[in-house]
Structures are given as structure tokens and as C-alpha cells.
């Protein structure tokens, strides 16, 4: 590889043909894309150049897009065997170990190539250097290949194009001699924390398990190593680090997110919002720089409500909303939360002291992986959140009459599961009716649990346990949705002659972003040369709880794989992490106490 690197300044200032010559080889056999992007010069950053190239391809239309995909070699295909790949592709395919396939792997990939081409009519494209740029394993490549064969053709074309843009991102980094160094490190921190799990074959970290406590201790050590002045694990298991202001009695900016996960979750959900500010503080501490305010980073112990029905326990404690009745809840093994906390050495008596005095705070900001497809679809690394949807959750049970499936006539049944199924269909139809001013569906309703305890193939279900999760952008809209759904439950149960119990387990208000903090995120995103994009949050976040006492605003980071989350496929790149770190640093330097 060449050792002389090009610079953004050259791309911006050289005559067009010379600048275009510097960008050859970025898009496989398709230099026209980079060349046309030069119309948008000057570029504020490499990210701006990348986005300009994405836009050129978006405007070029489907035929040009398919032609670009077809300009790529098959993965570990004939071109690799006959050594007729471009230099760039040779580098990528060999870095991913594709040149060292076993005969069986090689044969399997050839078969996948054939099936893929037959279905889609273009070759499978994967950025084999992966989200960290270091190369995916052959197993990861083969699994991704198998998974993507099931996609819809339109989706798969878009996914190929996104992978091409990712390939180009890495090729451009190589040309510029640029590495997202902090992004790489933060990416690695996620890997490091993901070694602790309640399960052997999945990432599961639930409240106060052994793995959870190891995570807390690891984050505590990490905060110390980064140069925080005051680090502690608080009475509910939150890990808190304070980087002190330049002056005494300064106000405090709080940030952070959660380190617990759902069962079989992703590595970035929550944790990204802990590690991004940690990296910033480490850089500040190394440079001996102090901010005009204290920066308090909180790694929240519990957000997901998995082991106990106590969602937002960690952030709730900071706003004085730790519910005493939670302590008597037992987990699936009969261990109460009180016992779990005592075993972990937490001082229950200190919980009330965790409530923060909001008058001492400037506000709360949170970085989080988007957990949705919007930024990925639009090829945008960052998005500024306008508000967090309000939500309400219930768990319930319908009781009918268990009876013989063969002898109970259809008109004399009291089928508990059928009643819940009818409710689930109602929820789907009702939520679908809510649309925002832009015509997009903006409410969601889900029956995620539907269980027949001790059910049997030849017994009419006598009991059915279920859950209900309803969300909308405003509290008023959420409450109307809830009212209709609860009325429907009543109507369905009355008509079917069954009874129900229902327990509200969580209610969170919609949390519009503070205009000032949202503006700081906007300025930060724009300073990076990244297009400014706004979106609401469909998921609940710790910022919702802090919103109850102080202004807040969130920044979303693009997820790969269509933004899938609460799933091991959740992924984001070290390049996007670097942008999030840069944005956070910009926000810190542009906040005045
Ligand atoms: Zn989360």
C-alpha cells in the first residue's frame, strides 16, 4: 500500500481532474461517483465527502446502482482464485481470510454465491473489513451471507449499497491515512465489557447478577483509568464518575446510559452512552484540560426491566423515584430484589440520598445507538433526537375455563388465549390508525408475551398471561390509545365470558428535548460536516427519567443491519463511534456554565 497519503485540502483545492485522480478506486470500477461528488466541494470533513458520494449514487437511480453492485467481484469467487481482483478487493478479501478458506468453506461460499445471484441478479456485497475495519471472521461472513439470502430484493439492493459505502469509507480512510483511533478504542471497550454475561452463548446482563457486578467493577476501573476525580458505585449499583470543573461550586452536566442488557441483547445498547463520554474525559485529562462545569458520567445499573419489573431503576433513583415495593419482588428463582441488593453489598438505606438536586445541574445529555432503521436507511451517522415517546406497560392474565378440546362445543368455550389473541389484533389495528402530521405511523402497540401456563394440545386454554406495551409521541395520544385498548380488553372479556387482571408496570411521560441542549447537539453535528437530521425516539431511555427534573437531549448513532437492536446483530462502526465522540467533545467545549 502507498505510504503517501492524500489530504482533504488537496481534494478541496486541486483542479477537478487532479482531485478526481486522487479518489480513483474508491468505488469499484466506478470512479464517476467520486468525480461527480466533487461538485459539492469544498468538503468540511471526510464525513461530508462520504455523504456527498452517497448522494451522487442516490440521485443516479436504480440502474446505475445495480450496475455498481455488478461491478463488484463475487466473494471468494473466480476473480479471487484467478487473482484478477482490483488491488483494493484483494486487500479486503485476504484481510478477511477468504484466501485461506478450507475446501468445504470455499464450496459452501460458491453455493451461496450461486443461490444469491439466482435470487437477486447481482453479486453479494459485504464490507468484509467489518465495523471495526479489522476484518470479519470467515464464520461471520458466511453467517451474514446465509442471513441476507432471506431478504426482500429491494431491501437487499439497499443493503449492498450500504456495504459498498462502508467499503468506500474504509478505502477513503486508507487514502487519507486516517484512523478513527478513539472510535476503535471505544469499539474495543464494548467487546471487552461483553465478555461478562449471565448466559454462555448470548449477551445477557440483568440486574445484580454476577456478570452484572463484574460489569460495574469493570466500568469503575475504566472510569478511574480515564482520569475521573471521583468514582463510586452507588446504593442501587449505578457506577458514577465525576470529572471536576476548573472551579469550585460549578454546576454539573450529567450524561450516561445503562450497562444492563436485555436477554440475548446487543453490545452497544446503553453502553455506547457510557463509553463515549469516558473517552472524552480521558482525552481532557490527558491534555490537562478542565471544563467550566463538572461532568458526571453515570453508568445506570438497570434500565431494561429484565430480572425484576423495575424498568429505569438506575435513573429513577436519581430523580427520587425508586419504588420501595420493588424490593419485595422476586426473580424467576425466588430471589427478592432486597436479597439481591444485600448480597451485592449495596446499602439500601442510602437509596433516598441518591436523588439529585436539579438546581445544581445544567442538564442531562445521552448518546445512544438508534435501535431503529432510520439513520441506516438514510446513510447518516448521527441524528439529533427531538423527543422520546411516552409509553405505558402492563402485564395481565385472562382466566377462562380449561376444558376438553374434543368435547367442548365452539359456542360454549371460554378460551383465555383466544381472548388475548383478539386483544393483540385490536392493538395492532388501533395503533396503526395513529399518524403524525407527516402521515407516518407514529404510535406503536405490542403484545410481546402471550403464554398459556401448563397448556396442552388437547385442552382449551383456561389461562393466558400477556403483556401490553403502548407508545406515542405525546402523553395525550398515548392515553387515548391506552383508553381504547383497555376498553377493548373489557369488551372482549365480557363478550367471551372470561375475566382478566391487569397490572400497570411502567408509565413514562413523553420527553421533548430541551431546545438549548438540542441546539448544542445540532451545532456539534454540523461542525463535523455531517448533515443535520432530526428524529424522535421510539424507545424509552434513561433521559426520560432525568427529564422529570432537568432539561435533556439525546444524540443517536446509526446502527448497522437496518439498525436492529435487542438482538446480537446490533452493530455500529468505529467510524460512527468516532463521530459521536467528536460530537460529544464539541458539545462539551461549547457549553458554558
Ligand atoms: Zn438502551
Amino acid at each position: 500500500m502507498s505510504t503517501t497519503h492524500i489530504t482533504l485540502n488537496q481534494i478541496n483545492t486541486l483542479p477537478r481532474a487532479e482531485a478526481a485522480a486522487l479518489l480513483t478506486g474508491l468505488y469499484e470500477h466506478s470512479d464517476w461517483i467520486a468525480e461527480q461528488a466533487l461538485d459539492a466541494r469544498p468538503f468540511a470533513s471526510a464525513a461530508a465527502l462520504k455523504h456527498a458520494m452517497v448522494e451522487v449514487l442516490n440521485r443516479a437511480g436504480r440502474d446505475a446502482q445495480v450496475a455498481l453492485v455488478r461491478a463488484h467481484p463475487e466473494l471468494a469467487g473466480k476473480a479471487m482464485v484467478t487473482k484478477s481482483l482490483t488491488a483494493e478487493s484483494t486487500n479486503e478479501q485476504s484481510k478477511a481470510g477468504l484466501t485461506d478458506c478450507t475446501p468445504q468453506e470455499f464450496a459452501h461460499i460458491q453455493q451461496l454465491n450461486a443461490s444469491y445471484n439466482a435470487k437477486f441478479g447481482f453479486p453479494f456485497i459485504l464490507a468484509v473489513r467489518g465495523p471495526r475495519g479489522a476484518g470479519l471472521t470467515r464464520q461471520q461472513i458466511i453467517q451474514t451471507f446465509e442471513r441476507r439470502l432471506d431478504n426482500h430484493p429491494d431491501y437487499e439492493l439497499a443493503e449492498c449499497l450500504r456495504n459498498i459505502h462502508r467499503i468506500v469509507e474504509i478505502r477513503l480512510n486508507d487514502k487519507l491515512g486516517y484512523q478513527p483511533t478513539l472510535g476503535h478504542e471505544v469499539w474495543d471497550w464494548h467487546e471487552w465489557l461483553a465478555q461478562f454475561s449471565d448466559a454462555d452463548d448470548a449477551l445477557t446482563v440483568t440486574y445484580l447478577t454476577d456478570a452484572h457486578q463484574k460489569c460495574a467493577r469493570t466500568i469503575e476501573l475504566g472510569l478511574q483509568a480515564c482520569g475521573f476525580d471521583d468514582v463510586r458505585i452507588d446504593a442501587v449499583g449505578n457506577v458514577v464518575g465525576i470529572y471536576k470543573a476548573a472551579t469550585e461550586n460549578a454546576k454539573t452536566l450529567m450524561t450516561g446510559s445503562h450497562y444492563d442488557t436485555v436477554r440475548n441483547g446487543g453490545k452497544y445498547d446503553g453502553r455506547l452512552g457510557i463509553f463515549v463520554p469516558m473517552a472524552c474525559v480521558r482525552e481532557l485529562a490527558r491534555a490537562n484540560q478542565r471544563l467550566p462545569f463538572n461532568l458526571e458520567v453515570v453508568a445506570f445499573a438497570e434500565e431494561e426491566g429484565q430480572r425484576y419489573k423495575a424498568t429505569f431503576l438506575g435513573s429513577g433513583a436519581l430523580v427520587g423515584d425508586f419504588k420501595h415495593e420493588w424490593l419485595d419482588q422476586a426473580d424467576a428463582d425466588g430471589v427478592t430484589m432486597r436479597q439481591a441488593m444485600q448480597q451485592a453489598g449495596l446499602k439500601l438505606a442510602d437509596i433516598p440520598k441518591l436523588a439529585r438536586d436539579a438546581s445544581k445541574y445544567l442538564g442531562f445529555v445521552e448518546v445512544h445507538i438508534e435501535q431503529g432503521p432510520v439513520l441506516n436507511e438514510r446513510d447518516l451517522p448521527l441524528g439529533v433526537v427531538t423527543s422520546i415517546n411516552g409509553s405505558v406497560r402492563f402485564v395481565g392474565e385472562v382466566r377462562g375455563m380449561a376444558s376438553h378440546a374434543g368435547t367442548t362445543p365452539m359456542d360454549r368455550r371460554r378460551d383465555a388465549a383466544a381472548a388475548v389473541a383478539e386483544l393483540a389484533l385490536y392493538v395492532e389495528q388501533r395503533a396503526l390508525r395513529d399518524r403524525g402530521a407527516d402521515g407516518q405511523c407514529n404510535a406503536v402497540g405490542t403484545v410481546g408475551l402471550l403464554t398459556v401456563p401448563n397448556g396442552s394440545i388437547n385442552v382449551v386454554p383456561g389461562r393466558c398471561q400477556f403483556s401490553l406495551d403502548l407508545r406515542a409521541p405525546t402523553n395525550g395520544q398515548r392515553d387515548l390509545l391506552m383508553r381504547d385498548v383497555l376498553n377493548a380488553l373489557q369488551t372482549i372479556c365480557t363478550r367471551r365470558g372470561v375475566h382478566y387482571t391487569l397490572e400497570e408496570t411502567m408509565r413514562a411521560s413523553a420527553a421533548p428535548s430541551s431546545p438549548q441542549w438540542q441546539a448544542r447537539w445540532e451545532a456539534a453535528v454540523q461542525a463535523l460536516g455531517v448533515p443535520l437530521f432530526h428524529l424522535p425516539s421510539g424507545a424509552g431511555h434513561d433521559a426520560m427519567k432525568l427529564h422529570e427534573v432537568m432539561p435533556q437531549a439525546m444524540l443517536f448513532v446509526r446502527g448497522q443491519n437496518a439498525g436492529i437492536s435487542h438482538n446480537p446483530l446490533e452493530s455500529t462502526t468505529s467510524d460512527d463511534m468516532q463521530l459521536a465522540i467528536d460530537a460529544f467533545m464539541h458539545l462539551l467545549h461549547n457549553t458554558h456554565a
Side-chain angles (χ1 to χ4, degrees):
M1 199 170 289
S2 128
T3 46
T4 49
H5 295 120
I6 66 172
T7 67
L8 193 65
N9 187 47
Q10 289 174 316
I11 296 166
N12 279 333
T13 56
L14 283 174
R16 189 187 165 96
E18 288 174 46
L22 296 179
L23 300 176
T24 55
L26 284 181
Y27 283 87
E28 194 88 357
H29 303 297
S30 306
D31 285 340
W32 59 273
I33 299 169
E35 197 186 316
Q36 282 187 28
L38 292 174
D39 291 345
R41 290 193 293 178
F43 301 109
S45 63
L49 166 58
K50 288 174 204 166
H51 190 73
M53 295 191 289
V54 168
E55 291 202 307
V56 166
L57 190 65
N58 287 348
R59 285 194 302 266
R62 197 175 191 279
D63 289 349
Q65 293 164 1
V66 173
L68 171 66
V69 174
R70 291 200 178 125
H72 285 73
E74 283 189 337
L75 214 61
K78 273 195 218 77
M80 189 187 85
V81 176
T82 59
K83 301 199 177 1
S84 58
L85 293 173
T86 60
E88 290 84 358
S89 286
T90 302
N91 175 37
E92 287 147 9
Q93 298 211 10
S94 65
K95 254 200 174 128
L98 288 169
T99 41
D100 304 324
C101 282
T102 65
Q104 290 87 342
E105 284 169 336
F106 189 74
H108 186 39
I109 293 176
Q110 299 324 311
Q111 206 209 325
L112 289 168
N113 275 328
S115 310
Y116 188 96
N117 264 302
K119 177 168 179 186
F120 299 111
F122 47 78
F124 172 70
I125 312 289
L126 176 64
V128 291
R129 282 178 65 184
R132 167 70 160 77
L136 297 172
T137 64
R138 285 204 296 280
Q139 198 191 358
Q140 286 172 317
I141 292 169
I142 290 169
Q143 280 171 352
T144 307
F145 207 155
E146 289 168 343
R147 178 167 52 80
R148 281 177 45 191
L149 257 172
D150 287 337
N151 283 338
H152 184 277
D154 290 341
Y155 175 83
E156 189 51 26
L157 175 61
E159 186 67 5
C160 282
L161 296 174
R162 285 191 286 269
N163 273 276
I164 289 172
H165 295 311
R166 172 63 184 155
I167 292 167
V168 168
E169 176 166 62
I170 296 173
R171 288 180 180 179
L172 181 63
N173 287 348
D174 288 348
K175 275 183 184 285
L176 291 166
Y178 164 80
Q179 287 290 319
T181 312
L182 288 174
H184 285 339
E185 271 192 85
V186 165
W187 200 94
D188 293 342
W189 292 353
H190 288 86
E191 288 296 302
W192 166 58
L193 198 62
Q195 70 183 286
F196 306 112
S197 174
D198 301 344
D200 291 334
D201 53 350
L203 179 61
T204 302
V205 178
T206 61
Y207 190 48
L208 296 181
T209 59
D210 191 42
H212 185 273
Q213 292 180 59
K214 283 182 177 145
C215 286
R217 180 75 183 126
T218 303
I219 294 167
E220 183 185 31
L221 292 171
L223 289 164
Q224 285 163 351
C226 284
F228 283 79
D229 301 294
D230 176 6
V231 178
R232 64 184 179 277
I233 297 179
D234 75 14
V236 296
N238 296 327
V239 194
V240 183
I242 294 172
Y243 187 63
K244 287 186 181 152
T247 55
E248 296 268 311
N249 301 320
K251 285 201 173 188
T252 299
L253 172 63
M254 193 194 291
T255 185
S257 194
H258 60 98
Y259 64 90
D260 68 323
T261 74
V262 296
R263 295 180 204 282
N264 197 17
K267 295 172 184 168
Y268 309 98
D269 175 5
R271 295 156 177 215
L272 187 64
I274 301 166
F275 290 146
V276 163
M278 267 173 71
C280 291
V281 166
R282 197 195 60 186
E283 294 310 292
L284 292 170
R286 279 183 173 174
N288 250 318
Q289 270 186 304
R290 292 280 163 179
L291 299 164
F293 48 87
N294 304 301
L295 182 63
E296 179 174 357
V297 177
V298 186
F300 295 108
E302 208 295 329
E303 190 260 10
E304 303 281 11
Q306 297 279 309
R307 185 175 175 189
Y308 300 100
K309 286 181 280 177
T311 311
F312 301 115
L313 179 152
S315 45
L318 270 51
V319 301
D321 190 22
F322 183 91
K323 296 183 174 59
H324 207 74
E325 61 267 27
W326 284 340
L327 293 170
D328 297 317
Q329 274 189 55
D331 70 3
D333 297 323
V335 180
T336 65
M337 187 188 285
R338 179 181 283 104
Q339 288 168 329
M341 293 177 87
Q342 283 164 345
Q343 279 160 19
L346 301 180
K347 284 195 197 142
L348 276 69
D350 288 347
I351 294 173
K353 295 181 211 159
L354 298 182
R356 301 296 197 267
D357 175 358
S359 70
K360 295 189 173 143
Y361 284 83
L362 296 169
F364 179 79
V365 290
E366 181 174 356
V367 175
H368 205 285
I369 189 165
E370 183 204 335
Q371 304 186 277
V374 177
L375 295 174
N376 191 236
E377 255 173 41
R378 291 174 184 261
D379 271 299
L380 295 170
L382 302 173
V384 176
V385 176
T386 50
S387 79
I388 305 168
N389 284 352
S391 60
V392 63
R393 285 184 190 165
F394 299 89
V395 292
E397 180 172 316
V398 170
R399 281 176 179 263
M401 176 64 76
S403 57
H404 196 295
T407 60
T408 316
M410 293 311 290
D411 60 355
R412 259 158 280 171
R413 293 181 176 212
R414 290 162 60 206
D415 184 330
V420 177
E422 191 177 342
L423 178 73
L425 291 176
Y426 176 81
V427 168
E428 187 178 58
Q429 290 156 11
R430 173 62 185 78
L432 198 58
R433 286 212 301 269
D434 277 13
R435 284 172 195 270
D438 56 2
Q440 300 282 321
C441 293
N442 68 357
V444 289
T446 307
V447 175
L449 291 171
L450 194 154
T451 312
V452 178
N454 306 314
S456 179
I457 195 165
N458 57 357
V459 177
V460 176
R463 288 166 64 201
C464 183
Q465 296 166 335
F466 67 98
S467 64
L468 198 51
D469 177 309
L470 306 171
R471 308 182 197 208
T474 67
N475 292 344
Q477 188 185 337
R478 174 203 62 194
D479 292 346
L480 284 175
L481 175 64
M482 178 175 72
R483 186 200 63 190
D484 288 355
V485 169
L486 297 189
N487 284 342
L489 175 62
Q490 175 75 61
T491 308
I492 291 165
C493 288
T494 305
R495 174 164 37 76
R496 289 176 170 271
V498 296
H499 301 282
Y500 71 88
T501 55
L502 197 63
E503 181 193 350
E504 183 177 318
T505 55
M506 198 269 284
R507 185 184 296 222
S509 290
S513 300
S514 136
Q516 287 90 344
W517 286 105
Q518 186 180 318
R520 289 193 181 101
W521 281 131
E522 288 164 357
V525 168
Q526 283 175 310
L528 299 175
V530 172
L532 182 56
F533 182 77
H534 294 100
L535 72 173
S537 172
H541 294 291
D542 293 299
M544 285 174 102
K545 288 310 286 184
L546 277 306
H547 181 88
E548 293 174 17
V549 299
M550 62 179 82
Q552 61 77 29
M554 294 185 71
L555 180 72
F556 274 172
V557 180
R558 158 173 60 186
Q560 303 293 303
N561 303 321
I564 193 164
S565 185
H566 287 183
N567 186 302
L569 288 172
E570 180 186 85
S571 173
T572 185
T573 66
S574 53
D575 283 87
D576 288 357
M577 289 185 184
Q578 179 73 49
L579 290 171
I581 296 162
D582 293 343
F584 203 98
M585 203 59 124
H586 186 278
L587 175 134
L588 291 177
H589 286 306
N590 289 276
T591 296
H592 307 285

